[in-house]
Amino acid sequence: MINFSKTFLTMTGALALATMPAFAQQAEKSIQSNKDLHKNTSIKISFGLGGVKADSSLNKASVMGVNIGADAEHKLSENLNVKISGGMNVQTGSSTTARENNIYKPGNSNYLKEAKISYTPFNIIDLEAGVINQSNLDAPLLVSSKGFIAAKEGLNYKILDTKISLFAMQSIPNNRNLSQRIDVEEDGDPRFFTETLKIDQILYIGELSLSATHFAYSDISNAVAYESILLGNSGSPINKGNGVLNSEYQGWHLGANYQVSLNKNLVLKTKFNHLSNTAIKENNTGHIAALGLSYTRGAHNYYGELANFKIESDASIAYYNSSKYGLANKKGNKVLLGYANSESNLNVTAEAIQNKEINENIYQSDETIFILSLRKLYDLF
């Protein structure tokens, strides 16, 4: 029995010695695989708190909410990349409206900001497809940070301190919030087309960015038309939930951004956007003029912005653009104050917006809005 045990122990030891290199090789491969995964993959989780208080003679709202989001990016190969961003909102509060156009009503929802695949066959060519966030246009009077099903073709070229970007995008606007309503006709197959030229220039003093975007909407649904009429566009309601807009929407958006460092901590920023719907001849323009200041010391960044805006009734489709600039048929001012900490990935902002009607109608009134937001980002890897 003792001899058998010794023999078994000897065989086990020999087998362990023989297999150790294989186990070591496998473990090394596993470690390398994990390193490659972390190298090619980025995952971030965000947690946010937000509140809105809106007051006008037609609409009132007091809303608080929680937001949980996730951003993931994975490099499939040297030229192929996948990016996904989404999350959910949970809100509570009160809301009253006289015209059913209070956009600040509390609600619970899931959202998809982006889900795209990017292919870069050459250094100067960039192709994208999937759900693409429209914030890359930097044109809030035209379209806000919405995710549209889209295809994008880009050309980028840099020489010395000048970068030239040319890209086109073909999109299907999102009607998700309207598609489940009873008695709503989804006539039309909406499309949104843009072609953009952008120039980024490093100057002797400061940095300048210029952009020009040609845009066109087509086949807007009756449901979007009805909502947009309630929000300031001119048109004719057919019945509850269905309408027809008076004009077509195609034209130009021009943007200019300039920033300069006043010293090692202080940066001055200016911005000007101009929108023109050339399909019609009146009530067809909009603008944003903003001045901002940013102070950074270590990981702490304090910033503020004062903006003046105006968007006439038919400059763009109200359902798709940014509520912070009045949507349509509004003019006013916006003040933003913020704090960011780069070490803790924390961002806090407070905004105050006052807007007034340009042309009086039964759907709109002067409005005051306060927005508070806190966002904490967790970088998993």
Side-chain angles (χ1 to χ4, degrees), residues 310-346:
K310 179 180 180 181
I311 180 164
E312 295 179 326
S313 58
D314 295 314
S316 66
I317 297 177
Y319 183 78
Y320 293 122
N321 63 26
S322 174
S323 60
K324 294 183 179 181
Y325 298 97
L327 297 168
N329 191 42
K330 289 291 185 75
K331 61 181 179 180
N333 299 293
K334 181 171 80 78
V335 178
L336 179 148
L337 296 174
Y339 166 75
N341 188 302
S342 59
E343 288 183 350
S344 59
N345 289 324
L346 177 69

Side-chain angles (χ1 to χ4, degrees), residues 133-135 139-140 142-148 319-323:
N133 195 281
Q134 301 300 301
S135 60
L142 176 61
V143 62
S144 66
S145 301
K146 299 178 183 290
F148 291 167
Y319 183 78
Y320 293 122
N321 63 26
S322 174
S323 60

Side-chain angles (χ1 to χ4, degrees), residues 66-319:
V66 175
N67 172 269
I68 299 174
D71 298 286
E73 192 167 355
H74 180 65
K75 192 173 183 179
L76 296 173
S77 67
E78 189 67 27
N79 302 321
L80 207 57
N81 195 63
V82 174
K83 184 178 181 180
I84 300 174
S85 178
M88 66 177 182
N89 285 314
V90 179
Q91 296 178 327
T92 186
S94 63
S95 171
T96 60
T97 179
R99 295 288 186 266
E100 298 186 351
N101 63 349
N102 193 342
I103 62 174
Y104 299 108
K105 292 185 291 186
N108 304 327
S109 64
N110 300 319
Y111 63 89
L112 181 63
K113 291 176 62 177
E114 204 156 46
K116 67 179 182 180
I117 185 166
S118 303
Y119 178 54
T120 309
F122 307 102
N123 289 336
I124 63 172
I125 296 177
D126 185 24
L127 306 175
E128 298 179 0
V131 177
I132 299 176
N133 195 281
Q134 301 300 301
S135 60
N136 66 85
L137 291 173
D138 192 22
L141 294 177
L142 176 61
V143 62
S144 66
S145 301
K146 299 178 183 290
F148 291 167
I149 297 174
K152 179 183 175 185
E153 307 82 37
L155 182 66
N156 304 287
Y157 183 72
K158 185 174 182 181
I159 178 171
L160 299 178
D161 293 330
T162 303
K163 181 182 177 182
I164 301 174
S165 303
L166 180 65
F167 60 89
M169 188 157 45
Q170 307 82 42
S171 310
I172 302 175
N174 184 3
N175 296 343
R176 177 174 60 89
N177 295 334
L178 306 174
S179 60
Q180 301 301 319
R181 296 188 185 178
I182 299 174
D183 297 329
V184 169
E185 297 179 16
E186 287 291 345
D187 289 344
D189 186 17
R191 292 291 186 271
F192 178 50
F193 302 96
T194 58
E195 301 85 37
T196 300
L197 172 64
K198 184 178 181 182
I199 299 175
D200 296 301
Q201 179 69 53
I202 299 177
L203 304 174
Y204 181 73
I205 301 178
E207 299 176 16
L208 177 66
S209 177
L210 301 172
S211 64
T213 297
H214 179 262
F215 71 90
Y217 281 100
S218 66
D219 294 327
I220 299 303
S221 72
N222 290 346
V224 168
Y226 179 80
E227 295 291 327
S228 296
I229 293 167
L230 296 182
L231 298 174
N233 286 153
S234 62
S236 303
I238 300 171
N239 51 44
K240 185 177 180 179
N242 300 289
V244 176
L245 295 172
N246 283 348
S247 65
E248 297 181 352
Y249 292 86
Q250 60 178 352
W252 291 89
H253 178 276
L254 306 177
N257 294 270
Y258 175 74
Q259 69 175 43
V260 58
S261 297
L262 303 179
N263 55 43
K264 66 177 183 178
N265 302 112
L266 206 57
V267 177
L268 179 69
K269 301 179 181 181
T270 61
K271 176 175 70 176
F272 183 77
N273 291 2
H274 183 269
L275 177 69
S276 178
N277 178 13
T278 57
I280 55 175
K281 294 184 179 180
E282 58 183 16
N283 298 322
N284 65 333
T285 64
H287 77 262
I288 299 172
L291 180 66
L293 201 61
S294 174
Y295 177 80
T296 303
R297 189 175 183 86
H300 306 281
N301 175 235
Y302 305 88
Y303 56 94
E305 182 184 79
L306 175 63
N308 173 265
F309 62 87
K310 179 180 180 181
I311 180 164
E312 295 179 326
S313 58
D314 295 314
S316 66
I317 297 177
Y319 183 78

